[in-house]
Amino acid sequence: MTQTQQTVLALAIYTIWITLLYIRIFDKTLKKYVLSIGVLLGFWMVVRMLKTYTTGYATEILWYLYYIPLLLIPTFYYNCSSYLINSKNKKRRIATIIISTILFLLVITNSLHNIVFKIKSNINDYNHNIGYFIIVAWILCLIVVAIIYLIKSSKNKGYKNIISISIIILIGVVYTILYIKNVPVIRKTNMSVIIGTLFCVGLEMMLDFNLIPNNFRYKKIFKNSNLPLEIISQNGKTRIATNHSINLKENIINDIKDNKVKNTYKDNNIVKNVKAISGGYSIEEKDFSKINEYEKELKLIQQELIEQETILQKQRKIATEIYETKLKSEIIELLDEKIEQKRNLINELIKEMKITDIDKMQDIKLLLNYCKRMSSLVISSYNKEKYDNKRLEIIINEMLIEAQALGINGVLKTNNFEISSEETANIYEIIFETITKFRETNFILYIQVNNSYTEIKYLFDGKHKNFKKEIEKLQLEKLLKIEQIIDEDGTTIKLKILRGEN
């Protein structure tokens, strides 16, 4: 078989192979680079075949055209390997194409400057010049860097695979060098066919080792999928299906044939989702029977929870009513305890009144107002209310105004503070008990709340020796200390009361 016949046969095989390659590689960028290499190989074979039928200047031009595939094939190899390692430097890939193009222009214009080849008598009689060696160095550089990038991209895919591919590439490099050196045995071979074959073998190995993303094994993976899935052509025939078969109803097949496909088909608990794809439809089956069973169980559980919540709400309502009843009872008991003595005293005063006694009426009024305010303070304590000094001043001043009818004249002064309702009630009760022992007297009342105790101080305008004894007889709650000072300015009585709730 002549080299021309070999070239024609190889060209036919490469054309079929490139067509199949287009289908198998799905990454657009890789497809662009790989198919470009395939086209360049085909171009090389066509040019080599035409060269055998030409002479003179045409032969020289066709010889120069060899350097289009010789320069661009390594360039696209480099760009392909650079893309495989996820290099985002597009400028570098474009720069390699530009450099290779400039070097080719140097070759095609060699007749003007002889930088690449020094032609003596004809194209078969020449010497290599510096431009040729630059081109060879550039091609070797691209191939070496491409191999390094392939090694980087194969770290998780096995070094044995990349070594096998590298051997194929190195064979091509060695073959090219021997061909350039005019080794007789090598020189007699068809270079375009040999390089093209090595390229196909290397590329097939890259596809098989999955160094280049492809759909070579997708069919097997698809079939072993756990999903009930089928690919149906537009004529209604099953092209590929997973091991979980789908029972396609006749109405779905008819809709596919008539191009009236719905997105969803429902049959009791079975739902089939249909999506249009290139050349047909993807049908996925979903079985909701288990989900529906769980949904029914959840509804029953939900109903039980609703019933239990209703029972809990009733129990909570009963418990709240019981608590409120108990709280009211406690408040009443506490009020009875606080005002029982005053109520008894009111009854005694009323019994003693034979005729209208103004003083006793004033006492009764003072006691009634005590009961009213103490009731309010007891209820406030259950609501956890707070009293500041301004609010306490209002309560005490009201009591001092009422006490004026008994000849008791007092002026109140306080510091800034905030205390609980229970502490407020205790202070109010102590002041009430003490001032009811004073008759026909004037005083200044000081209330100072400190961290651990409260000080109540009376400053009288006269000398009173019996006040301390009278206060001691009262046995006031939380009273820590009573101090009495009598001097020329009057009488001072200090009461220290322990802070805190009972």
Side-chain angles (χ1 to χ4, degrees):
M1 184 182 291
T2 63
Q3 286 197 3
T4 302
Q5 291 172 334
Q6 292 174 2
T7 304
V8 172
L9 180 60
L11 183 61
I13 294 171
Y14 290 162
T15 303
I16 297 170
W17 179 76
I18 289 171
T19 304
L20 295 175
L21 188 68
Y22 180 84
I23 298 171
R24 292 163 62 188
I25 298 176
F26 56 84
D27 188 284
K28 291 182 179 180
T29 303
L30 287 175
K31 182 180 291 190
K32 178 180 66 176
Y33 289 136
V34 172
L35 293 185
S36 296
I37 294 172
V39 171
L40 287 169
L41 282 172
F43 172 78
W44 190 6
M45 292 177 189
V46 171
V47 171
R48 186 178 182 85
M49 188 169 54
L50 292 174
K51 181 175 172 289
T52 59
Y53 299 102
T54 60
T55 58
Y57 183 72
T59 303
E60 183 178 351
I61 294 299
L62 290 173
W63 178 48
Y64 289 156
L65 290 178
Y66 283 3
Y67 283 84
I68 292 179
L70 283 173
L71 281 164
L72 291 182
I73 287 174
T75 300
F76 290 138
Y77 258 125
Y78 166 81
N79 287 350
C80 183
S81 61
S82 176
Y83 181 78
L84 284 172
I85 64 169
N86 297 320
S87 175
K88 296 181 180 179
N89 195 338
K90 291 183 179 180
K91 292 181 179 179
R92 188 178 295 174
R93 294 202 287 268
I94 294 170
T96 57
I97 295 173
I98 293 172
I99 293 171
S100 296
T101 303
I102 292 170
L103 292 174
F104 170 71
L105 292 175
L106 200 64
V107 173
I108 201 70
T109 59
N110 184 72
S111 300
L112 302 175
H113 47 69
N114 287 327
I115 293 177
V116 182
F117 304 105
K118 288 184 178 180
I119 308 296
K120 296 179 180 179
S121 57
N122 54 60
I123 61 169
N124 295 319
D125 186 15
Y126 63 88
N127 289 326
H128 296 130
N129 204 353
I130 186 169
Y132 176 81
F133 295 108
I134 291 173
I135 291 171
V136 172
W138 173 247
I139 292 172
L140 288 174
C141 179
L142 289 174
I143 292 172
V144 170
V145 175
I147 293 172
I148 293 171
Y149 282 171
L150 285 173
I151 292 171
K152 286 184 178 179
S153 69
S154 65
K155 284 183 177 179
N156 300 323
K157 299 176 183 177
Y159 283 111
K160 291 182 179 179
N161 300 339
I162 199 62
I163 290 171
S164 302
I165 296 169
S166 300
I167 290 171
I168 298 297
I169 296 172
L170 290 174
I171 290 172
V173 173
V174 172
Y175 172 83
T176 303
I177 293 171
L178 294 175
Y179 192 91
I180 294 169
K181 293 291 185 179
N182 291 320
V183 176
V185 177
I186 301 299
R187 196 71 181 184
K188 291 178 182 179
T189 61
N190 191 326
M191 184 180 187
S192 59
V193 174
I194 298 295
I195 296 297
T197 302
L198 290 173
F199 164 74
C200 293
V201 172
L203 190 58
E204 280 296 327
M205 291 174 70
M206 292 177 73
L207 291 171
D208 190 48
F209 297 154
N210 205 28
L211 293 176
I212 295 178
N214 62 90
N215 57 9
F216 187 69
R217 299 177 181 176
Y218 279 10
K219 188 174 182 179
K220 183 178 179 181
I221 296 171
F222 183 88
K223 283 190 172 183
N224 292 332
S225 172
N226 292 324
L227 295 175
L229 194 66
E230 287 190 14
I231 305 297
I232 309 296
S233 62
Q234 291 177 342
N235 60 5
K237 293 183 179 180
T238 301
R239 301 304 299 271
I240 186 171
T242 62
N243 293 329
H244 300 271
S245 60
I246 296 176
N247 182 21
L248 287 178
K249 301 289 184 179
E250 189 175 349
N251 62 321
I252 300 177
I253 301 297
N254 292 333
D255 286 349
I256 290 173
K257 291 179 179 179
D258 298 336
N259 198 22
K260 297 179 180 179
V261 184
K262 301 175 184 177
N263 292 331
T264 304
Y265 290 87
K266 294 182 180 180
D267 183 13
N268 295 327
N269 294 323
I270 306 298
V271 176
K272 293 180 176 66
N273 295 322
V274 182
K275 293 183 179 180
I277 60 176
S278 178
Y281 297 91
S282 167
I283 301 177
E284 180 188 11
E285 184 178 83
K286 293 182 178 180
D287 187 351
F288 289 93
S289 55
K290 289 287 185 183
I291 295 175
N292 291 336
E293 288 178 10
Y294 292 147
E295 188 177 1
K296 289 179 182 178
E297 291 178 5
L298 285 173
K299 285 182 179 179
L300 291 174
I301 295 171
Q302 187 179 17
Q303 185 63 35
E304 291 178 3
L305 290 173
I306 291 171
E307 292 175 359
Q308 290 178 6
E309 186 180 5
T310 304
I311 294 170
L312 288 172
Q313 286 178 348
K314 290 180 180 178
Q315 291 177 346
R316 195 180 299 114
K317 185 178 179 182
I318 293 169
T320 302
E321 291 176 354
I322 292 172
Y323 173 76
E324 289 178 352
T325 304
K326 183 179 177 182
L327 185 61
K328 289 176 183 177
S329 176
E330 289 179 356
I331 292 173
I332 291 170
E333 288 178 4
L334 184 60
L335 283 174
D336 284 342
E337 181 185 337
K338 290 288 185 182
I339 66 175
E340 182 180 9
Q341 183 184 0
K342 302 300 183 290
R343 188 172 58 222
N344 294 335
L345 187 56
I346 291 171
N347 291 330
E348 289 177 4
L349 290 172
I350 292 172
K351 288 178 182 179
E352 291 175 2
M353 288 176 59
K354 296 179 180 178
I355 57 172
T356 302
D357 190 332
I358 299 300
D359 289 340
K360 284 187 172 56
M361 290 295 292
Q362 293 297 336
D363 287 336
I364 292 170
K365 180 180 178 182
L366 199 62
L367 290 170
L368 288 173
N369 287 330
Y370 168 87
C371 294
K372 180 182 73 173
R373 293 191 188 94
M374 186 56 69
S375 300
S376 176
L377 288 170
V378 169
I379 294 170
S380 295
S381 67
Y382 275 88
N383 292 330
K384 304 295 182 183
E385 290 185 31
K386 297 289 184 180
Y387 282 74
D388 58 11
N389 61 305
K390 298 297 181 183
R391 195 172 176 186
L392 178 63
E393 285 178 3
I394 293 171
I395 297 172
I396 302 300
N397 282 327
E398 286 179 353
M399 181 173 60
L400 293 176
I401 291 171
E402 293 162 1
Q404 288 177 0
L406 301 175
I408 303 169
N409 297 301
V411 176
L412 175 64
K413 292 185 179 181
T414 64
N415 65 332
N416 293 324
F417 57 80
E418 184 179 73
I419 55 177
S420 65
S421 302
E422 188 172 344
E423 287 182 282
T424 304
N426 191 40
I427 292 171
Y428 173 77
E429 185 174 11
I430 289 172
I431 294 173
F432 180 86
E433 294 291 351
T434 52
I435 66 170
T436 53
K437 300 300 178 182
F438 311 147
R439 296 296 171 110
E440 301 296 333
T441 185
N442 301 317
F443 63 89
I444 299 174
L445 174 60
Y446 295 92
I447 301 176
Q448 285 190 328
V449 177
N450 300 313
N451 292 331
S452 58
Y453 65 91
T454 300
E455 184 180 79
I456 300 175
K457 183 170 70 173
Y458 297 93
L459 183 59
F460 298 96
D461 58 357
K463 296 180 180 181
H464 304 280
K465 296 181 180 180
N466 297 325
F467 281 169
K468 181 179 179 182
K469 292 180 180 180
E470 291 294 328
I471 293 172
E472 288 174 345
K473 291 178 183 178
L474 294 174
Q475 296 183 347
L476 298 172
E477 188 178 355
K478 292 189 177 183
L479 183 60
L480 295 175
K481 183 179 180 181
I482 302 175
E483 184 180 353
Q484 179 173 295
I485 302 171
I486 301 174
D487 54 24
E488 295 179 356
D489 296 327
T491 303
T492 301
I493 295 179
K494 294 180 182 179
L495 309 180
K496 282 191 178 180
I497 304 164
L498 180 67
R499 287 199 64 192
E501 300 179 3
N502 292 330

